[in-house]
Amino acid sequence: MPIQVKLFASLRERAGWSERLVAADELPATPRSLWRQLRLSDGVEAETARAGQADALPQGIRVAINQAFAAPDAPLADGDELAFLPPISGG
Amino acid sequence: MTNPCTIQLCDQPFEPLEALAGWQRQLEGEALGPAAAEAHFIGRVRATSASGAPLEALELEHYPGMTEMQLAQLSQACAERHGAEAVLVIHRVGRIRPGEAIVLVAVTADRRGPAQRCGQELLERLKHEAPFWKREWSGGVGTWVEGNTAW
């Protein structure tokens, strides 16, 4: 079963999509591996990407798995809902 | 004991004082009120953008499901830590005009300290840990706000 990937706010607009069902190329899949697979760093300004760490998520991007905050290297299971969250600004 | 926490996301303008009165009546109906101490915070949309330009509107995006869950968990955790009795959080989503209320946080407790400390911590935590994203509309152009002001 594929993983449901969701993007929000500025990340969604930069990528041009909000939700996709994705079959992972690498197993075990992690948020970091799917970020790379989906080429979500494309268009990120150089200064926001962490220099020398091609695999790193850009600073300030957080991850949620099944609607709970998770680490970028947390293992994903089939059918999981994975969201990439740009810096939060509520209240 | 579970503290009663009421969480509401509103996609239409709300009147904070009416919402507070309704919540107080609800607590009295549950034989919890009136509380000896009650702390309130109302946040409204400013008339200018971060760059100082006149603001037409603030758009607030959220993550349906996760946002409500985070608000409930944060409210419960703060209420337990500070010994508060009940918590109310109302947060707008969608397009909000300058001057309209964007957030209301209210806390009841037996003393002023727990009520005020719980309210302040909850407000700070929801600004950083509940998935909301603001976009300022000014001159017909939308700009995403990344992160929060310090205070």
Side-chain angles (χ1 to χ4, degrees), chain A residues 6-10 12-13 62-64 66-69 81-91, chain B residues 61-66 69-70 91 102-103 127-135 144-148:
Chain A
K6 294 187 171 193
L7 302 179
F8 290 91
S10 55
R12 179 193 67 241
E13 296 201 334
R62 295 172 77 180
V63 165
N66 298 327
Q67 305 198 352
F69 288 115
E81 178 176 305
L82 165 66
F84 292 107
L85 313 177
I88 284 170
S89 57
Chain B
E61 180 170 332
H62 72 295
Y63 183 172
M66 181 174 177
M69 203 156 55
Q70 279 294 108
H91 207 297
I102 181 170
V103 64
K127 284 174 95 70
H128 296 94
E129 296 173 46
F132 288 107
W133 298 277
K134 287 177 182 157
R135 176 154 52 178
W144 291 105
V145 178
E146 305 249 309
N148 291 292

